Amino acid sequence: MDLDHELRDHLGREIETNIRAGMTPEEARLAAQRLIGPVELYREECRDARSVGFIQNFARDLRNGLRQLRKNAAFSIIAIAALALGIGFSTAIFSLARTVVMTPLPFPNADRLVQIRTASRKTGELANWAWYADVCDWRTRNRTLETLAGYTFALLDVPGDPPAALYGARITYNLFPALGVAPALGRNFLADEDQPGRGQEIILSDGLWRNRFGADRNIVGKTIRLEGQRESDQFLVVGVMPAGFNFPLTIPTAVNPPTRQMAFWIPLASRSSRTDVTYVIPIGLLRRSISRAQSESDLSSVAAQLEQLYPETSVGRTVRVFSLKDQLLGRAKTALILLLGAIGAVLLITCVNLANLLLSRALSRTRESGLRLALGASRGRLLQQWIAESLLLSGLGGIGGIVIARAALYFLLQIAPQAIPRISETHIDTGALVFAVFASIATGLIIGNLPAVTASRTDVQVALSIASVWTTAQPRRVRSRDLLIVAEVALAVVLVLGASLLVKSFLRLTSVDPGFSRDHVVMAMVLLVDRSYPDLDSRVRFMHNLVDQLEHTPGIVSAGAVDGTPLSGNITGSYVHIDGRPSTERGDNRAAVEVFSASPNYLSTIGIRLLRGRYLNKHDASSRNPVAAINQAAAEEFWPNQDALRKQISFDNGDAKPVKRTVVGIVANTRDANIDQPVRTALYVPMEQGIAPPQMLVVRVSGDASEATNAKAIRHAVAALDPAQPVFLVTSMEALYNNSIAERRFTTFILSAL
C-alpha cells in the first residue's frame, strides 16, 4: 500500500473517533496528529525500514556538503588542491609501476621464463653473457628446463642513400618457441637453419615490414638485401612478427640507440665447439612444477661436471638462475616500488593533515551537531552526514587528481630513463582510473572518519549551552589532534630521511671519477660491412683513414678509434699471463683483464690520464717489440709494490699463441661497465693487434659536444671515405655518463621532490 495513503487512512480513522467522542473537528485533528506523531517522522521511519532513506539522505548530505564547501571557500580550495596533488601523483606513479613491474611480460610462458647467468666461484661476480659452448652443454645435460635458448645483438646495413643501420638480434632457433610466440606471417626458424654455414634466413619486425617493405603480405619466401653479418648479403624472409612484439626488451649498455625496437631476428648459426668464442644471453623455460631453486641446483651440478670435463676453461665457474622479468627490470623494479611507497606516504600525510583540519571544523560545528541531535537526528545519521561531506571533498580531489595525473605522467616520462622496459607504453588507462577512484574513496573515508565519530559523540546538553561556534576543545579531542600531528610529522620525517639518504648516495656516486673526460668528447659507432671489409686489416685501415680525415675537420681537436668505449657495454675480456709469475690457476680462477684495441690518439682524446710512462703511438703497431699500456688497477694487482713499467704481460687471443708485451705506460682507472661498479684491470694495445676490430670513434671537439652539432661532420667524414657505410649512432660521453646513472637520478629526484 502507498505510504501516504496508509497515513491518511490512519489519520482519518483517529479524527472520526475523536469527533464521536465530542471533540470539534479542529480539536479532533490536533489530537489525532499528537497521537500519530509527525507525518514526516513516520515517513522517515518507513523509508529507513525499507532501505529507501539512505540514498535520499546521502544525496541530501551531498547537497549540504556543497553548501558547506561554498561557505568555506578557502578551506575547500586548499583541501581539494592537496587531495588532487596527492591522488594525481599517486595515480601517475601507480601507472608507471603497473606497466613496468606489475604487468606480466607479454609472453604466454612469462612465469616460467628464466635468465641463466654465470658466476665466479672466486669472486662471486655475475656475468650477463655466457659462453655458447657452455649453453649447449647445459641444454643437453640439464633435467629441469623444457628448453634453453640464447641471443646476442646484431647490426645490419640497409643499402641506400644514405645507408641506414638496423638494430636486431641473432637468436637460437628455439628462442621464440621458448617465449611462446610465433610470427604473424610465416614461421619460426628451423633447427637446420641455426647451423654453422647457414643463418641467411630472417624474421622481420612488424615496423620494418611496414616501413621498408610496404606491408607486403607476400614478403615471406622473398629474398632481401641486407649487409653486415655474413659474406652473403641475401636474406630469405621466413616470417614477420606480430605488431608490438619486441625482444630483447633491454640492452645491456648505457648507449641510447636510435630505437629500442628490434628490427629483425636472424639465426645465431654458431658452432658449439669450445674453440668458438661466441657469447650469448641464455634464456630458459622451466619445466612445469619446477622452481628456480631446483633449476639452479640442477644447472650448478652440470657446471660442476663441466669443471671436471674441461678444467682449462670451466674451473671456478658456477651458475645462477633468475626470473627473466627481474633481470629485465634490474634496479627499475626496486626504484618504482620505492616511489610507490613514497607517494603512498605522501598521500597518507595529506589525509592526516586534512583529517586534522576537518576535526577542527567538527569542533567549530559542535552547536550545529547538538541541534541536529536535539531535533531527533540519530548519531548514526550524523555520522553519515560527515562521511558524505568528506567523500564529496575527496571526490572533487579525485577529479582534479585525474587531470594532474595526466600532466604528471607526461612529465615523468620525459625525465624517466628510457632504458626501463616498457616504460614508453605507460598511459592513464582504465586500471589507472580505477586506482584513482579507489584512492579517492579510501581518502574520503580516512579523512572523514575521525571528524564524523567526533561529531556523532557530541554531548547535546553541552552543545546547546554553547553561545558561540568558537569553542574550547575537550581534552580527549585535543589528544586526537595531537596524535594526528605526531603521525603527520613522523611520516614526513621518514620521507625526508629516505630522500636525504638517497641524495647522499647519489652525490657520492656522482663524485666518483669515471676516469675519462665527459666534456667536449663525442662517441660514434660506425658499422663496417663484412663484404667490403672482411678482415681486421681492412677495418683498421679504414679507421686510420677516418681518424686522419676527422682530425683535419674544423672544430675537431683530435680523434681516435677503439673497439669499445667505457660504458658502451662493448668490452672484450681475456685471461692474462704475467711474465716471471707462472700460475697454476685454471678456468675462471685465472687472472683476467679488459682488452681495448685502440688507435694511437684514443687515450688522450677520451681524456684518460697518463700516470707514468707514455701513451701508445703510431709506431707501436709495426714495432718488432709489442707493447701495451695498462691501468693503475692492473699495475697494483699484477705487480704489487713494484714498478710495472717495462714488465712483460700477455693475453689469450683465440687459438693464437699469447704475445709477450712490454708495459710502456700506466694510465688512470676508468669505470667501464658502470659508474657504481668496481674498477677492473684494463690493457690497451694497438688496434692492429687486439681481439676485436675497432668500430667506435671518439672525437674531441672545441665546441658543443651534442649529437646535433657533430653528427653531420662525422657522417660527412665517413661518406667521404665510403658512402655505403652507415654511422649507427652519435652521442656524447656526457650523455653516456648520464644514462649510466639515470635510474638513480630519477629515483632521487622524485623522492626529493615528494
Side-chain angles (χ1 to χ4, degrees), residues 3-4 7 37-58 60-61 63 375-378 381 384:
L3 176 63
D4 288 339
L7 288 172
V39 174
E40 287 301 322
L41 181 59
Y42 268 98
R43 286 177 174 163
E44 292 280 350
E45 292 174 352
C46 292
R47 278 197 295 265
D48 290 343
R50 294 167 55 184
S51 300
V52 175
F54 175 80
I55 297 176
Q56 293 184 356
N57 287 337
F58 191 76
R60 187 180 298 114
D61 290 337
R63 289 194 298 270
L375 292 174
S378 66
R381 184 70 184 80
Q384 177 185 326

PDB file of all heavy atoms in Angstrom, residues 3-4 7 37-58 60-61 63 375-378 381 384:
ATOM      1  N   LEU A   3       2.542   4.661   0.955  1.00  0.00           N
ATOM      2  CA  LEU A   3       2.842   5.184   2.292  1.00  0.00           C
ATOM      3  C   LEU A   3       1.914   6.341   2.656  1.00  0.00           C
ATOM      4  O   LEU A   3       1.304   6.351   3.734  1.00  0.00           O
ATOM      5  CB  LEU A   3       4.306   5.624   2.340  1.00  0.00           C
ATOM      6  CG  LEU A   3       4.768   6.279   3.649  1.00  0.00           C
ATOM      7  CD1 LEU A   3       4.658   5.283   4.793  1.00  0.00           C
ATOM      8  CD2 LEU A   3       6.198   6.780   3.498  1.00  0.00           C
ATOM      9  N   ASP A   4       1.755   7.331   1.763  1.00  0.00           N
ATOM     10  CA  ASP A   4       0.896   8.489   2.080  1.00  0.00           C
ATOM     11  C   ASP A   4      -0.568   8.065   2.249  1.00  0.00           C
ATOM     12  O   ASP A   4      -1.285   8.579   3.110  1.00  0.00           O
ATOM     13  CB  ASP A   4       1.019   9.527   0.970  1.00  0.00           C
ATOM     14  CG  ASP A   4       2.361  10.225   1.016  1.00  0.00           C
ATOM     15  OD1 ASP A   4       2.988  10.195   2.099  1.00  0.00           O
ATOM     16  OD2 ASP A   4       2.791  10.771  -0.009  1.00  0.00           O
ATOM     17  N   LEU A   7      -1.017   6.530   5.690  1.00  0.00           N
ATOM     18  CA  LEU A   7      -1.014   7.534   6.758  1.00  0.00           C
ATOM     19  C   LEU A   7      -2.319   8.323   6.790  1.00  0.00           C
ATOM     20  O   LEU A   7      -2.862   8.627   7.864  1.00  0.00           O
ATOM     21  CB  LEU A   7       0.177   8.471   6.570  1.00  0.00           C
ATOM     22  CG  LEU A   7       1.555   7.868   6.887  1.00  0.00           C
ATOM     23  CD1 LEU A   7       2.651   8.834   6.466  1.00  0.00           C
ATOM     24  CD2 LEU A   7       1.666   7.557   8.374  1.00  0.00           C
ATOM     25  N   GLY A  37       1.758  11.290  15.752  1.00  0.00           N
ATOM     26  CA  GLY A  37       3.102  11.865  15.653  1.00  0.00           C
ATOM     27  C   GLY A  37       3.280  12.551  14.318  1.00  0.00           C
ATOM     28  O   GLY A  37       2.413  12.493  13.442  1.00  0.00           O
ATOM     29  N   PRO A  38       4.436  13.265  14.122  1.00  0.00           N
ATOM     30  CA  PRO A  38       4.671  13.980  12.863  1.00  0.00           C
ATOM     31  C   PRO A  38       4.656  13.017  11.687  1.00  0.00           C
ATOM     32  O   PRO A  38       5.278  11.950  11.704  1.00  0.00           O
ATOM     33  CB  PRO A  38       6.054  14.600  13.063  1.00  0.00           C
ATOM     34  CG  PRO A  38       6.260  14.621  14.545  1.00  0.00           C
ATOM     35  CD  PRO A  38       5.534  13.455  15.071  1.00  0.00           C
ATOM     36  N   VAL A  39       3.926  13.406  10.654  1.00  0.00           N
ATOM     37  CA  VAL A  39       3.826  12.569   9.454  1.00  0.00           C
ATOM     38  C   VAL A  39       5.202  12.330   8.831  1.00  0.00           C
ATOM     39  O   VAL A  39       5.538  11.227   8.422  1.00  0.00           O
ATOM     40  CB  VAL A  39       2.871  13.225   8.433  1.00  0.00           C
ATOM     41  CG1 VAL A  39       2.870  12.431   7.121  1.00  0.00           C
ATOM     42  CG2 VAL A  39       1.463  13.280   9.005  1.00  0.00           C
ATOM     43  N   GLU A  40       5.998  13.396   8.772  1.00  0.00           N
ATOM     44  CA  GLU A  40       7.325  13.269   8.147  1.00  0.00           C
ATOM     45  C   GLU A  40       8.203  12.288   8.907  1.00  0.00           C
ATOM     46  O   GLU A  40       9.008  11.560   8.320  1.00  0.00           O
ATOM     47  CB  GLU A  40       8.014  14.633   8.068  1.00  0.00           C
ATOM     48  CG  GLU A  40       7.427  15.562   7.014  1.00  0.00           C
ATOM     49  CD  GLU A  40       7.504  14.966   5.622  1.00  0.00           C
ATOM     50  OE1 GLU A  40       8.522  14.298   5.314  1.00  0.00           O
ATOM     51  OE2 GLU A  40       6.558  15.144   4.845  1.00  0.00           O
ATOM     52  N   LEU A  41       8.041  12.277  10.282  1.00  0.00           N
ATOM     53  CA  LEU A  41       8.836  11.333  11.053  1.00  0.00           C
ATOM     54  C   LEU A  41       8.448   9.910  10.702  1.00  0.00           C
ATOM     55  O   LEU A  41       9.310   9.027  10.571  1.00  0.00           O
ATOM     56  CB  LEU A  41       8.641  11.599  12.552  1.00  0.00           C
ATOM     57  CG  LEU A  41       9.446  10.684  13.496  1.00  0.00           C
ATOM     58  CD1 LEU A  41      10.937  10.828  13.223  1.00  0.00           C
ATOM     59  CD2 LEU A  41       9.124  11.028  14.949  1.00  0.00           C
ATOM     60  N   TYR A  42       7.122   9.681  10.493  1.00  0.00           N
ATOM     61  CA  TYR A  42       6.678   8.350  10.079  1.00  0.00           C
ATOM     62  C   TYR A  42       7.271   7.992   8.717  1.00  0.00           C
ATOM     63  O   TYR A  42       7.690   6.862   8.477  1.00  0.00           O
ATOM     64  CB  TYR A  42       5.137   8.300  10.017  1.00  0.00           C
ATOM     65  CG  TYR A  42       4.521   7.844  11.313  1.00  0.00           C
ATOM     66  CD1 TYR A  42       4.024   8.770  12.226  1.00  0.00           C
ATOM     67  CD2 TYR A  42       4.445   6.484  11.634  1.00  0.00           C
ATOM     68  CE1 TYR A  42       3.463   8.365  13.426  1.00  0.00           C
ATOM     69  CE2 TYR A  42       3.890   6.077  12.828  1.00  0.00           C
ATOM     70  CZ  TYR A  42       3.396   7.015  13.718  1.00  0.00           C
ATOM     71  OH  TYR A  42       2.852   6.609  14.902  1.00  0.00           O
ATOM     72  N   ARG A  43       7.232   8.986   7.857  1.00  0.00           N
ATOM     73  CA  ARG A  43       7.793   8.732   6.529  1.00  0.00           C
ATOM     74  C   ARG A  43       9.276   8.341   6.610  1.00  0.00           C
ATOM     75  O   ARG A  43       9.745   7.428   5.938  1.00  0.00           O
ATOM     76  CB  ARG A  43       7.627   9.975   5.662  1.00  0.00           C
ATOM     77  CG  ARG A  43       6.196  10.185   5.196  1.00  0.00           C
ATOM     78  CD  ARG A  43       6.082  11.468   4.413  1.00  0.00           C
ATOM     79  NE  ARG A  43       4.748  11.616   3.851  1.00  0.00           N
ATOM     80  CZ  ARG A  43       4.258  12.751   3.395  1.00  0.00           C
ATOM     81  NH1 ARG A  43       4.997  13.852   3.462  1.00  0.00           N
ATOM     82  NH2 ARG A  43       3.053  12.804   2.888  1.00  0.00           N
ATOM     83  N   GLU A  44      10.017   9.086   7.450  1.00  0.00           N
ATOM     84  CA  GLU A  44      11.437   8.791   7.611  1.00  0.00           C
ATOM     85  C   GLU A  44      11.627   7.364   8.120  1.00  0.00           C
ATOM     86  O   GLU A  44      12.460   6.610   7.613  1.00  0.00           O
ATOM     87  CB  GLU A  44      12.083   9.773   8.595  1.00  0.00           C
ATOM     88  CG  GLU A  44      12.165  11.203   8.103  1.00  0.00           C
ATOM     89  CD  GLU A  44      13.323  11.415   7.155  1.00  0.00           C
ATOM     90  OE1 GLU A  44      14.163  10.499   7.030  1.00  0.00           O
ATOM     91  OE2 GLU A  44      13.383  12.483   6.531  1.00  0.00           O
ATOM     92  N   GLU A  45      10.835   6.992   9.160  1.00  0.00           N
ATOM     93  CA  GLU A  45      10.998   5.665   9.742  1.00  0.00           C
ATOM     94  C   GLU A  45      10.640   4.574   8.741  1.00  0.00           C
ATOM     95  O   GLU A  45      11.325   3.544   8.649  1.00  0.00           O
ATOM     96  CB  GLU A  45      10.132   5.543  10.997  1.00  0.00           C
ATOM     97  CG  GLU A  45      10.609   6.420  12.152  1.00  0.00           C
ATOM     98  CD  GLU A  45       9.651   6.374  13.325  1.00  0.00           C
ATOM     99  OE1 GLU A  45       8.564   5.783  13.158  1.00  0.00           O
ATOM    100  OE2 GLU A  45       9.992   6.933  14.390  1.00  0.00           O
ATOM    101  N   CYS A  46       9.585   4.794   7.971  1.00  0.00           N
ATOM    102  CA  CYS A  46       9.179   3.785   6.988  1.00  0.00           C
ATOM    103  C   CYS A  46      10.213   3.652   5.875  1.00  0.00           C
ATOM    104  O   CYS A  46      10.514   2.557   5.413  1.00  0.00           O
ATOM    105  CB  CYS A  46       7.802   4.136   6.406  1.00  0.00           C
ATOM    106  SG  CYS A  46       6.462   3.983   7.599  1.00  0.00           S
ATOM    107  N   ARG A  47      10.707   4.809   5.444  1.00  0.00           N
ATOM    108  CA  ARG A  47      11.733   4.747   4.394  1.00  0.00           C
ATOM    109  C   ARG A  47      12.977   4.041   4.903  1.00  0.00           C
ATOM    110  O   ARG A  47      13.602   3.258   4.190  1.00  0.00           O
ATOM    111  CB  ARG A  47      12.080   6.157   3.920  1.00  0.00           C
ATOM    112  CG  ARG A  47      11.103   6.715   2.902  1.00  0.00           C
ATOM    113  CD  ARG A  47      11.712   7.901   2.179  1.00  0.00           C
ATOM    114  NE  ARG A  47      11.950   9.022   3.074  1.00  0.00           N
ATOM    115  CZ  ARG A  47      11.102  10.028   3.249  1.00  0.00           C
ATOM    116  NH1 ARG A  47       9.967  10.050   2.591  1.00  0.00           N
ATOM    117  NH2 ARG A  47      11.387  10.997   4.085  1.00  0.00           N
ATOM    118  N   ASP A  48      13.365   4.335   6.169  1.00  0.00           N
ATOM    119  CA  ASP A  48      14.536   3.655   6.728  1.00  0.00           C
ATOM    120  C   ASP A  48      14.300   2.157   6.792  1.00  0.00           C
ATOM    121  O   ASP A  48      15.196   1.358   6.515  1.00  0.00           O
ATOM    122  CB  ASP A  48      14.854   4.192   8.115  1.00  0.00           C
ATOM    123  CG  ASP A  48      15.391   5.621   8.048  1.00  0.00           C
ATOM    124  OD1 ASP A  48      15.807   6.031   6.943  1.00  0.00           O
ATOM    125  OD2 ASP A  48      15.378   6.297   9.093  1.00  0.00           O
ATOM    126  N   ALA A  49      13.077   1.769   7.193  1.00  0.00           N
ATOM    127  CA  ALA A  49      12.767   0.349   7.294  1.00  0.00           C
ATOM    128  C   ALA A  49      12.852  -0.331   5.936  1.00  0.00           C
ATOM    129  O   ALA A  49      13.182  -1.504   5.829  1.00  0.00           O
ATOM    130  CB  ALA A  49      11.371   0.157   7.894  1.00  0.00           C
ATOM    131  N   ARG A  50      12.498   0.400   4.891  1.00  0.00           N
ATOM    132  CA  ARG A  50      12.512  -0.167   3.536  1.00  0.00           C
ATOM    133  C   ARG A  50      13.818   0.158   2.811  1.00  0.00           C
ATOM    134  O   ARG A  50      13.921  -0.048   1.613  1.00  0.00           O
ATOM    135  CB  ARG A  50      11.317   0.396   2.766  1.00  0.00           C
ATOM    136  CG  ARG A  50       9.997  -0.074   3.323  1.00  0.00           C
ATOM    137  CD  ARG A  50       8.842   0.725   2.763  1.00  0.00           C
ATOM    138  NE  ARG A  50       8.828   0.706   1.304  1.00  0.00           N
ATOM    139  CZ  ARG A  50       7.951   1.406   0.567  1.00  0.00           C
ATOM    140  NH1 ARG A  50       7.059   2.171   1.169  1.00  0.00           N
ATOM    141  NH2 ARG A  50       7.995   1.343  -0.740  1.00  0.00           N
ATOM    142  N   SER A  51      14.880   0.675   3.526  1.00  0.00           N
ATOM    143  CA  SER A  51      16.211   0.974   2.951  1.00  0.00           C
ATOM    144  C   SER A  51      16.124   1.950   1.790  1.00  0.00           C
ATOM    145  O   SER A  51      16.926   1.908   0.863  1.00  0.00           O
ATOM    146  CB  SER A  51      16.899  -0.323   2.479  1.00  0.00           C
ATOM    147  OG  SER A  51      17.062  -1.213   3.545  1.00  0.00           O
ATOM    148  N   VAL A  52      15.126   2.818   1.816  1.00  0.00           N
ATOM    149  CA  VAL A  52      14.992   3.827   0.774  1.00  0.00           C
ATOM    150  C   VAL A  52      15.621   5.130   1.227  1.00  0.00           C
ATOM    151  O   VAL A  52      16.219   5.866   0.440  1.00  0.00           O
ATOM    152  CB  VAL A  52      13.504   4.045   0.408  1.00  0.00           C
ATOM    153  CG1 VAL A  52      13.344   5.186  -0.583  1.00  0.00           C
ATOM    154  CG2 VAL A  52      12.914   2.758  -0.139  1.00  0.00           C
ATOM    155  N   GLY A  53      15.569   5.414   2.516  1.00  0.00           N
ATOM    156  CA  GLY A  53      16.004   6.713   3.018  1.00  0.00           C
ATOM    157  C   GLY A  53      17.491   6.946   2.914  1.00  0.00           C
ATOM    158  O   GLY A  53      17.918   8.099   2.840  1.00  0.00           O
ATOM    159  N   PHE A  54      18.281   5.864   2.915  1.00  0.00           N
ATOM    160  CA  PHE A  54      19.726   6.055   2.916  1.00  0.00           C
ATOM    161  C   PHE A  54      20.185   6.838   1.691  1.00  0.00           C
ATOM    162  O   PHE A  54      20.950   7.804   1.807  1.00  0.00           O
ATOM    163  CB  PHE A  54      20.435   4.703   2.969  1.00  0.00           C
ATOM    164  CG  PHE A  54      21.922   4.803   2.853  1.00  0.00           C
ATOM    165  CD1 PHE A  54      22.695   5.151   3.958  1.00  0.00           C
ATOM    166  CD2 PHE A  54      22.562   4.595   1.638  1.00  0.00           C
ATOM    167  CE1 PHE A  54      24.068   5.266   3.852  1.00  0.00           C
ATOM    168  CE2 PHE A  54      23.927   4.711   1.525  1.00  0.00           C
ATOM    169  CZ  PHE A  54      24.687   5.042   2.634  1.00  0.00           C
ATOM    170  N   ILE A  55      19.693   6.453   0.525  1.00  0.00           N
ATOM    171  CA  ILE A  55      20.134   7.116  -0.702  1.00  0.00           C
ATOM    172  C   ILE A  55      19.675   8.565  -0.716  1.00  0.00           C
ATOM    173  O   ILE A  55      20.436   9.481  -1.055  1.00  0.00           O
ATOM    174  CB  ILE A  55      19.602   6.357  -1.934  1.00  0.00           C
ATOM    175  CG1 ILE A  55      20.192   4.946  -1.958  1.00  0.00           C
ATOM    176  CG2 ILE A  55      19.927   7.105  -3.218  1.00  0.00           C
ATOM    177  CD1 ILE A  55      19.660   4.081  -3.071  1.00  0.00           C
ATOM    178  N   GLN A  56      18.425   8.787  -0.328  1.00  0.00           N
ATOM    179  CA  GLN A  56      17.923  10.160  -0.315  1.00  0.00           C
ATOM    180  C   GLN A  56      18.668  11.005   0.714  1.00  0.00           C
ATOM    181  O   GLN A  56      19.000  12.162   0.452  1.00  0.00           O
ATOM    182  CB  GLN A  56      16.420  10.161  -0.028  1.00  0.00           C
ATOM    183  CG  GLN A  56      15.598   9.541  -1.147  1.00  0.00           C
ATOM    184  CD  GLN A  56      14.107   9.645  -0.880  1.00  0.00           C
ATOM    185  OE1 GLN A  56      13.686  10.120   0.178  1.00  0.00           O
ATOM    186  NE2 GLN A  56      13.307   9.206  -1.850  1.00  0.00           N
ATOM    187  N   ASN A  57      18.930  10.422   1.880  1.00  0.00           N
ATOM    188  CA  ASN A  57      19.678  11.163   2.895  1.00  0.00           C
ATOM    189  C   ASN A  57      21.097  11.462   2.426  1.00  0.00           C
ATOM    190  O   ASN A  57      21.636  12.545   2.683  1.00  0.00           O
ATOM    191  CB  ASN A  57      19.731  10.355   4.198  1.00  0.00           C
ATOM    192  CG  ASN A  57      18.393  10.337   4.915  1.00  0.00           C
ATOM    193  OD1 ASN A  57      17.565  11.223   4.708  1.00  0.00           O
ATOM    194  ND2 ASN A  57      18.185   9.321   5.742  1.00  0.00           N
ATOM    195  N   PHE A  58      21.700  10.481   1.737  1.00  0.00           N
ATOM    196  CA  PHE A  58      23.067  10.692   1.257  1.00  0.00           C
ATOM    197  C   PHE A  58      23.096  11.818   0.232  1.00  0.00           C
ATOM    198  O   PHE A  58      23.996  12.676   0.259  1.00  0.00           O
ATOM    199  CB  PHE A  58      23.604   9.397   0.635  1.00  0.00           C
ATOM    200  CG  PHE A  58      25.073   9.433   0.340  1.00  0.00           C
ATOM    201  CD1 PHE A  58      26.009   9.302   1.353  1.00  0.00           C
ATOM    202  CD2 PHE A  58      25.538   9.612  -0.958  1.00  0.00           C
ATOM    203  CE1 PHE A  58      27.360   9.343   1.097  1.00  0.00           C
ATOM    204  CE2 PHE A  58      26.882   9.654  -1.231  1.00  0.00           C
ATOM    205  CZ  PHE A  58      27.808   9.522  -0.203  1.00  0.00           C
ATOM    206  N   ARG A  60      20.981  14.257   0.078  1.00  0.00           N
ATOM    207  CA  ARG A  60      20.743  15.494   0.823  1.00  0.00           C
ATOM    208  C   ARG A  60      22.023  15.944   1.529  1.00  0.00           C
ATOM    209  O   ARG A  60      22.347  17.133   1.564  1.00  0.00           O
ATOM    210  CB  ARG A  60      19.623  15.259   1.847  1.00  0.00           C
ATOM    211  CG  ARG A  60      19.175  16.534   2.577  1.00  0.00           C
ATOM    212  CD  ARG A  60      18.069  16.256   3.582  1.00  0.00           C
ATOM    213  NE  ARG A  60      16.879  15.734   2.933  1.00  0.00           N
ATOM    214  CZ  ARG A  60      16.405  14.500   3.118  1.00  0.00           C
ATOM    215  NH1 ARG A  60      17.027  13.667   3.950  1.00  0.00           N
ATOM    216  NH2 ARG A  60      15.316  14.093   2.491  1.00  0.00           N
ATOM    217  N   ASP A  61      22.786  14.962   2.047  1.00  0.00           N
ATOM    218  CA  ASP A  61      24.047  15.302   2.709  1.00  0.00           C
ATOM    219  C   ASP A  61      25.060  15.865   1.719  1.00  0.00           C
ATOM    220  O   ASP A  61      25.848  16.757   2.064  1.00  0.00           O
ATOM    221  CB  ASP A  61      24.627  14.067   3.393  1.00  0.00           C
ATOM    222  CG  ASP A  61      23.807  13.635   4.605  1.00  0.00           C
ATOM    223  OD1 ASP A  61      23.091  14.497   5.164  1.00  0.00           O
ATOM    224  OD2 ASP A  61      23.875  12.451   4.978  1.00  0.00           O
ATOM    225  N   ARG A  63      24.313  17.601  -0.959  1.00  0.00           N
ATOM    226  CA  ARG A  63      23.904  18.987  -1.225  1.00  0.00           C
ATOM    227  C   ARG A  63      24.302  19.894  -0.073  1.00  0.00           C
ATOM    228  O   ARG A  63      24.788  21.015  -0.283  1.00  0.00           O
ATOM    229  CB  ARG A  63      22.390  19.047  -1.460  1.00  0.00           C
ATOM    230  CG  ARG A  63      21.939  18.430  -2.769  1.00  0.00           C
ATOM    231  CD  ARG A  63      20.496  18.817  -3.091  1.00  0.00           C
ATOM    232  NE  ARG A  63      19.563  18.333  -2.091  1.00  0.00           N
ATOM    233  CZ  ARG A  63      18.966  17.145  -2.147  1.00  0.00           C
ATOM    234  NH1 ARG A  63      19.226  16.315  -3.162  1.00  0.00           N
ATOM    235  NH2 ARG A  63      18.107  16.767  -1.211  1.00  0.00           N
ATOM    236  N   LEU A 375      16.949  17.783  17.714  1.00  0.00           N
ATOM    237  CA  LEU A 375      15.762  17.748  16.864  1.00  0.00           C
ATOM    238  C   LEU A 375      15.384  16.340  16.428  1.00  0.00           C
ATOM    239  O   LEU A 375      14.468  16.169  15.637  1.00  0.00           O
ATOM    240  CB  LEU A 375      15.985  18.627  15.626  1.00  0.00           C
ATOM    241  CG  LEU A 375      16.066  20.131  15.908  1.00  0.00           C
ATOM    242  CD1 LEU A 375      16.434  20.902  14.656  1.00  0.00           C
ATOM    243  CD2 LEU A 375      14.724  20.632  16.469  1.00  0.00           C
ATOM    244  N   GLY A 376      16.129  15.345  16.896  1.00  0.00           N
ATOM    245  CA  GLY A 376      15.719  13.968  16.629  1.00  0.00           C
ATOM    246  C   GLY A 376      16.635  13.180  15.729  1.00  0.00           C
ATOM    247  O   GLY A 376      16.377  12.003  15.470  1.00  0.00           O
ATOM    248  N   ALA A 377      17.678  13.791  15.201  1.00  0.00           N
ATOM    249  CA  ALA A 377      18.601  13.045  14.345  1.00  0.00           C
ATOM    250  C   ALA A 377      19.364  12.019  15.183  1.00  0.00           C
ATOM    251  O   ALA A 377      19.763  12.294  16.316  1.00  0.00           O
ATOM    252  CB  ALA A 377      19.586  13.994  13.676  1.00  0.00           C
ATOM    253  N   SER A 378      19.521  10.834  14.616  1.00  0.00           N
ATOM    254  CA  SER A 378      20.289   9.801  15.330  1.00  0.00           C
ATOM    255  C   SER A 378      21.780  10.086  15.178  1.00  0.00           C
ATOM    256  O   SER A 378      22.210  10.810  14.276  1.00  0.00           O
ATOM    257  CB  SER A 378      19.969   8.421  14.754  1.00  0.00           C
ATOM    258  OG  SER A 378      20.446   8.324  13.412  1.00  0.00           O
ATOM    259  N   ARG A 381      22.958   8.909  11.915  1.00  0.00           N
ATOM    260  CA  ARG A 381      22.616   9.858  10.844  1.00  0.00           C
ATOM    261  C   ARG A 381      23.650  10.975  10.772  1.00  0.00           C
ATOM    262  O   ARG A 381      24.040  11.412   9.681  1.00  0.00           O
ATOM    263  CB  ARG A 381      21.235  10.439  11.133  1.00  0.00           C
ATOM    264  CG  ARG A 381      20.700  11.359  10.075  1.00  0.00           C
ATOM    265  CD  ARG A 381      20.329  10.593   8.805  1.00  0.00           C
ATOM    266  NE  ARG A 381      19.907  11.531   7.784  1.00  0.00           N
ATOM    267  CZ  ARG A 381      20.738  12.241   7.027  1.00  0.00           C
ATOM    268  NH1 ARG A 381      22.044  12.111   7.176  1.00  0.00           N
ATOM    269  NH2 ARG A 381      20.274  13.076   6.127  1.00  0.00           N
ATOM    270  N   GLN A 384      26.773   9.638   9.158  1.00  0.00           N
ATOM    271  CA  GLN A 384      26.603   9.547   7.701  1.00  0.00           C
ATOM    272  C   GLN A 384      26.799  10.907   7.042  1.00  0.00           C
ATOM    273  O   GLN A 384      27.403  11.011   5.973  1.00  0.00           O
ATOM    274  CB  GLN A 384      25.217   9.005   7.378  1.00  0.00           C
ATOM    275  CG  GLN A 384      24.915   8.949   5.878  1.00  0.00           C
ATOM    276  CD  GLN A 384      23.481   8.518   5.621  1.00  0.00           C
ATOM    277  OE1 GLN A 384      22.912   7.716   6.354  1.00  0.00           O
ATOM    278  NE2 GLN A 384      22.893   9.062   4.566  1.00  0.00           N
TER     279      GLN A 384
END
